[in-house]
């Protein structure tokens, strides 16, 4: 399957395009953030690049500035929603629990997190 076809079938590309509804938390030219549908913390936000990359390794290789920007957006969300503390998780690959193959940062905050 080509990259274009993967993107066409991609759940998060459809969310970014507004074809599937989501609870928007933040948006700019390159980046979109929305509430996770199945939150694992009091505040659980997904931050994604608008361009389709399969995982954080591909993003780091092809657009490192966007990866850094995602970390800044995560910090800003944690400051707005809580006291600035947050956990940033990129599940990468099936064995790590990645289920959506459009890179996304899980931002977990809003409470004291379990270790
Ligand atoms: P992964 O398991 O790939 O690291 O994370 C995928 C995340 O996407 C999961 O936490 C899951 O709850 C979330 N998710 C899956 N489908 C949807 C959806 O349609 N809307 C939203 N807002 N989150 C979703
Ligand atoms: Zn996508």
């Amino acid at each position: 399957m080509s990259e274009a076809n993967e993107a066409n079938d991609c759940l998060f590309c459809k969310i970014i395009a507004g074809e599937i509804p989501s609870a928007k938390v933040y948006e700019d030219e390159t980046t979109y953030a929305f509430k996770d549908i199945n939150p694992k913390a009091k505040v659980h936000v997904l931050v994604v690049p608008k361009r389709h990359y399969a995982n954080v390794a591909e993003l780091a290789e092809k657009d490192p500035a966007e990866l850094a920007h995602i970390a800044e957006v995560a910090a800003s969300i944690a400051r707005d929603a809580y006291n600035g503390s947050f956990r940033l998780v990129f599940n990468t690959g099936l064995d790590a629990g990645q289920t959506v193959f459009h890179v996304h940062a899980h931002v977990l905050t809003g409470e004291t997190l379990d270790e």
Side-chain angles (χ1 to χ4, degrees):
M1 193 185 274
S2 74
E3 266 183 47
N5 282 335
E6 281 173 23
N8 286 340
D9 286 338
C10 172
L11 173 65
F12 287 175
C13 281
K14 288 178 182 157
I15 284 178
I16 292 157
E19 292 164 16
I20 292 173
S22 65
K24 176 162 92 172
V25 172
Y26 172 84
E27 182 172 17
D28 63 29
E29 253 180 47
T30 64
T31 309
Y32 188 69
F34 57 105
K35 290 184 184 171
D36 195 292
I37 208 166
N38 181 24
K40 296 288 195 319
K42 204 163 168 194
V43 176
H44 185 172
V45 175
L46 302 174
V47 185
V48 301
K50 288 185 172 176
R51 291 192 66 175
H52 181 97
Y53 302 99
N55 58 48
V56 69
E58 188 186 343
L59 177 63
E61 186 191 334
K62 295 185 176 161
D63 194 350
E66 176 62 16
L67 177 55
H69 183 56
I70 284 170
E72 288 178 336
V73 169
S76 159
I77 289 168
R79 280 194 302 270
D80 289 349
Y82 191 49
N83 64 5
S85 288
F86 65 100
R87 184 171 293 159
L88 193 62
V89 176
F90 293 91
N91 295 327
T92 306
L94 281 174
D95 287 353
Q98 186 176 4
T99 59
V100 179
F101 289 83
H102 180 130
V103 60
H104 49 282
H106 294 263
V107 182
L108 302 161
T109 184
E111 61 186 328
T112 302
L113 301 170
D114 291 340
E115 296 219 352

